[in-house]
Each structure stands twice: as C-alpha cells, then as structure tokens.
Amino acid sequence: MPELDLLVIGDVNPDVIVGDPELEARFGQTEQFVDHAAVVVGGSASITAMGAARLGLLVGLCGVIGDDDLGWIMEDRLTAAGVNLRHLDRDPTLPTGMSVVLDRGSDRAILTHAGTISALT
C-alpha cells in the first residue's frame, strides 16, 4: 500500500467569501449588509487535496502557511478533512496568504494578498 495516493503541491490559503446578488462595493466608510459571508478553505491545491481526501484517497499537501491565525485555521480544517500535512511548511516570517471574494452570484471579484502563497519553491 502506498504512503500516499496523491501529493498535491501548491497554494494553501483561506478565502473570505462575501456575497449578495446586488453587491456593489462602495467606498467612503459605507457599511453594507450582505446575504452571506464565510471563511472557507481556498487555494486550488488545498481544494484539490480536500476533494481527493473526500473521495477516499490518501492525499498529502505540500505548501507554505504562516505562523498566524489563518495558517492555524487552514491546518485545522485540512487535518479534519483527512489531508496529510507532513509536507506542509510553516514560515514564521510571512503571513498566510488569503483571498477576499466579492460574490454577486453571476460574477465575482477576487482580491488576493499573496503572503506565503508565493513562498513555495
């Protein structure tokens, strides 16, 4: 039996999804209420690893997270999904990358801070 069926290499970051069908971001300190908001596992590699684990594969993830709250959230959620994180690296000098997704349903805007996303070499 193999140690892993699949090793996914890539981005490990959360997505903050904020959505409303009528969403039109307004600046000028204007508070807007939206239909939904969530913090979810993001990054194509992380999403792929979780999906493969749900299908029953022994899957590992190789990437970089920061030593911050977002990094710990990602580690907790991936571990809970059954992803092996032995190949995950924690960089204490960089923040974990993240994306904010403004979702209108039919379209979306994505704002990304690279942080540790670009640290994987």
Side-chain angles (χ1 to χ4, degrees):
M1 183 150 135
E3 179 182 331
L4 293 174
D5 297 313
L6 174 66
L7 177 63
V8 182
I9 301 170
D11 49 350
V12 184
N13 60 279
D15 286 347
V16 178
I17 301 175
V18 179
D20 191 295
E22 303 298 319
L23 184 63
E24 187 67 43
R26 293 186 298 272
F27 289 86
Q29 301 295 319
T30 302
E31 182 176 18
Q32 296 172 252
F33 290 91
V34 296
D35 283 348
H36 63 276
V39 177
V40 300
V41 170
S44 299
S46 298
I47 294 167
T48 299
M50 283 183 64
R54 285 186 186 128
L55 292 172
L57 295 175
L58 298 174
V59 60
L61 179 60
C62 177
V64 183
I65 55 175
D67 190 17
D68 54 15
D69 290 342
L70 295 177
W72 290 107
I73 288 169
M74 290 299 293
E75 184 174 320
D76 289 347
R77 293 200 179 167
L78 290 162
T79 299
V83 177
N84 180 313
L85 300 180
R86 189 180 77 206
H87 301 286
L88 188 66
D89 199 18
R90 189 177 293 276
D91 185 336
T93 67
L94 292 172
T96 301
M98 69 179 297
S99 294
V100 176
V101 179
L102 304 178
D103 176 24
R104 287 189 197 166
S106 62
D107 195 10
R108 62 188 182 159
I110 304 170
L111 310 170
T112 299
H113 171 65
T116 54
I117 297 170
S118 59
L120 181 64
T121 58

